Amino acid sequence: MEQRKWEDLNMDCLANVFEKVGMESFLLDVPFVCKSWYKATRSPLCWRTFVIPKEPDTIMSRLSNEYRLKKLDETELVKFVVSRSNRCIVSLVLSNNCSEEAITYVAQGCPALKYLELRNDSRANYLKSWSYSRTCSSALMSLVCKWHDLEVIKFGGIGFIEKTLAQISLHCKNFVGLTIFLACITKAEALAIVTLLPGIKHLELRNAIIAPENLVMILRGCKKLVHFDVRDGVRFRVDNEILKLAAHIPTFKYEGSRLGTI
C-alpha cells in the first residue's frame, strides 16, 4: 500500500497541526521543511490563532537573524506577525504590558478578530507595571470599536472599564465573554456590566475587589450567564443568599473569596 505523505494532507489538517507547534516553530521551522509546507504556512487557515510567548526574547533574536531584520522588541514582533497574517487572525494573545503602538497595529491589521487576551503574566509584574497597563487600557478603550466580530476579551482592570464596555456594547454585537483580572468593581462598573452587556454568557472577575451589593447586582442582572468566576475575590464572602442568586448559572466559581483587604 502506498504511504501517504505529510505534504499531501488536507489544508485544514495541516493548519490544525501547525497551530499546535507554537509561534516560534511555525514562523522559523515549519516553512523550511519543504516547499509544500512553506506554501501551507501562507494559507489564511494557518493564521487564525497566535499567542505571543511570555518570554519572546528567543523568537525575536531568531527572527532578526533569519529575516535579516533590525533587532526586534515586543512591539515589532507583534507588528511582524500581524503584517504577515494578511488580516486573517481571529484569536490573539498579547502581554498586558504591550504598547499602545502594538494594540493600534492590531486594530488596523486584524479586523476579523474574535478573541483578544491581554495576558496577566503575574500579579507582581502587573502591579509593578501600573503605568503601562493603564496606557494599554486607554488604547483598548479607543480601539475596541474596530473589532465588530469580537466575541471575547480579557484585559487588566486598571481604569476605563465602563468606557470600554460602552464601546463593546455599541460595536460588538456578537460579544459573549468578558474577563477582567485584578479589577476593582465599583457600583458603576457592576451597573455597566449589567446594562451594557445583557447577553453576557462568560464572566471572569478573579482577584477582584467587589462589595457584596455589587456582586448581587451582577447576579440579578446577568440572566444569561453560564460561567461566572469570582475566585479569590476580596471584600465579599459567598453566603446562602449569593448561592441562591447564582443557582441559575451552570458554572459558578467562588473559592478563595474573602472579606478584608487585598
Side-chain angles (χ1 to χ4, degrees), residues 36-257:
S36 61
W37 278 25
Y38 170 78
K39 183 178 179 181
T41 61
R42 309 303 294 172
S43 167
L45 291 173
C46 295
W47 291 88
R48 295 174 297 189
T49 301
F50 269 94
V51 178
I52 301 299
K54 290 183 179 181
E55 298 179 358
D57 290 349
T58 301
I59 185 173
M60 290 191 296
S61 177
R62 287 190 64 193
L63 278 172
S64 297
N65 293 333
E66 192 67 47
Y67 292 95
R68 293 179 172 81
L69 302 171
K70 65 177 183 180
K71 187 174 181 180
L72 298 178
D73 58 18
E74 194 165 339
T75 295
E76 293 301 320
L77 174 61
V78 172
K79 292 170 71 174
F80 177 86
V81 170
V82 170
S83 65
R84 289 182 70 87
S85 74
N86 196 26
R87 302 168 69 88
C88 294
I89 295 176
V90 297
S91 178
L92 184 62
V93 179
L94 307 173
S95 164
N96 191 64
N97 297 327
C98 68
S99 67
E100 183 175 357
E101 181 182 359
I103 296 180
T104 301
Y105 203 85
V106 170
Q108 296 168 343
C110 304
L113 204 63
K114 294 183 179 181
Y115 177 99
L116 176 62
E117 179 178 349
L118 302 180
R119 181 181 53 222
N120 177 27
D121 292 330
S122 78
R123 183 190 185 94
N125 289 339
Y126 178 73
L127 293 174
K128 191 183 295 182
S129 57
W130 186 90
S131 61
Y132 290 102
S133 298
R134 187 169 177 82
T135 298
C136 188
S137 297
S138 174
L140 190 64
M141 173 196 67
S142 62
L143 294 169
V144 73
C145 61
K146 303 289 186 181
W147 300 304
H148 297 286
D149 296 326
L150 192 67
E151 298 176 2
V152 177
I153 193 168
K154 300 184 178 185
F155 65 100
I158 295 182
F160 309 106
I161 292 176
E162 289 175 77
K163 293 180 179 179
T164 301
L165 298 189
Q167 292 299 306
I168 290 171
S169 177
L170 282 172
H171 302 285
C172 310
K173 300 308 179 183
N174 298 321
F175 194 81
V176 294
L178 173 68
T179 294
I180 313 175
F181 49 80
L182 290 173
C184 180
I185 304 297
T186 65
K187 180 179 179 180
E189 273 98 19
L191 186 61
I193 292 171
V194 170
T195 57
L196 296 173
L197 304 176
I200 191 77
K201 293 182 179 180
H202 301 268
L203 180 60
E204 295 190 9
L205 302 172
R206 290 200 65 177
N207 297 109
I209 303 172
I210 179 170
E213 59 270 23
N214 298 330
L215 177 59
V216 167
M217 184 190 301
I218 293 172
L219 288 169
R220 285 178 173 165
C222 298
K223 298 297 185 181
K224 295 185 179 181
L225 279 176
V226 297
H227 176 93
F228 188 21
D229 188 346
V230 288
R231 284 176 291 174
D232 303 310
V234 180
R235 294 188 186 169
F236 72 90
R237 182 172 291 157
V238 173
D239 54 20
N240 289 334
E241 178 192 3
I242 288 177
L243 288 175
K244 186 176 179 180
L245 288 170
H248 69 285
I249 305 173
T251 303
F252 178 47
K253 298 182 178 182
Y254 57 87
E255 295 79 7
S257 59

